[in-house]
Amino acid sequence: LGGGSAAQGAEIFKRNCANCHLVGNEGRDFGPNLSDVGKRLTRLKLVESVVHPNSEVEEKYRTTMIQTLEGQVISGLQVAENDLEVEIYDGKETQKILKEDIDQMAVKAQSSMPDDLAVAMSPSEFIHLIQYLSEQQTAPEKK
């Protein structure tokens, strides 16, 4: 899977990935930082990571599922927790759930990244995204 335009891939990244991932200062720091992903992963591994996001998931990026006492189900990445509440990011917004309102809470061995992300792109968009990601070589800044 070669070729593609990194410039077009950057736009696709902004539309599809920046809600959860950082490259440099672009995006949000919820999922793995992708600033040096091109140095860490081969093109094939990049393709696999986008197509099959659940194949290898670090524990801190696993999906948390909460069922409230009212039966509402909330799932996403747990981004904060304190004595009173749990904060979940669903890819669009964060929600704070009071612990006293939680009936069940479980961490699933799956990513918060949507399974069908690659399917939502055209083949050329996917190739441009992989090109862009493969060119990311700068280690993220330590915080």
Side-chain angles (χ1 to χ4, degrees):
L1 190 69
S5 160
Q8 289 180 28
E11 293 304 313
I12 295 157
F13 172 84
K14 288 176 191 172
R15 265 196 329 268
N16 294 287
C17 314
N19 279 343
C20 296
H21 296 281
L22 269 175
V23 166
N25 293 323
E26 183 76 43
R28 296 178 81 175
D29 193 17
F30 289 122
N33 190 310
L34 302 179
S35 296
D36 65 346
V37 72
K39 192 173 4 179
R40 293 185 283 116
L41 301 179
T42 65
R43 287 179 77 88
L44 179 58
K45 195 65 176 165
L46 284 169
V47 169
E48 289 174 3
S49 296
V50 176
V51 174
H52 301 292
N54 294 317
S55 62
E56 293 178 33
V57 184
E58 286 183 56
E59 198 160 323
K60 64 183 176 180
Y61 298 120
R62 292 183 177 178
T63 298
T64 297
M65 303 215 25
I66 293 175
Q67 182 171 341
T68 66
L69 294 171
E70 294 179 349
Q72 181 184 13
V73 176
I74 300 152
S75 68
L77 183 66
Q78 182 177 325
V79 293
E81 180 177 2
N82 60 39
D83 292 340
L84 299 174
E85 61 191 13
V86 176
E87 190 171 346
I88 301 290
Y89 179 69
D90 68 4
K92 295 184 178 86
E93 63 184 9
T94 56
Q95 295 184 48
K96 294 181 179 182
I97 304 102
L98 292 174
K99 285 186 172 181
E100 65 187 33
D101 294 337
I102 295 174
D103 181 34
Q104 296 178 38
M105 182 168 140
V107 177
K108 304 293 183 182
Q110 66 186 50
S111 171
S112 295
M113 186 169 150
D115 281 327
D116 59 354
L117 190 61
V119 178
M121 291 180 233
S122 71
S124 62
E125 287 176 320
F126 185 75
I127 290 168
H128 296 316
L129 177 64
I130 297 302
Q131 181 63 36
Y132 171 72
L133 293 174
S134 71
E135 291 185 14
Q136 302 313 305
Q137 303 284 323
T138 305
E141 292 179 20
K142 301 287 184 214
K143 293 184 181 175

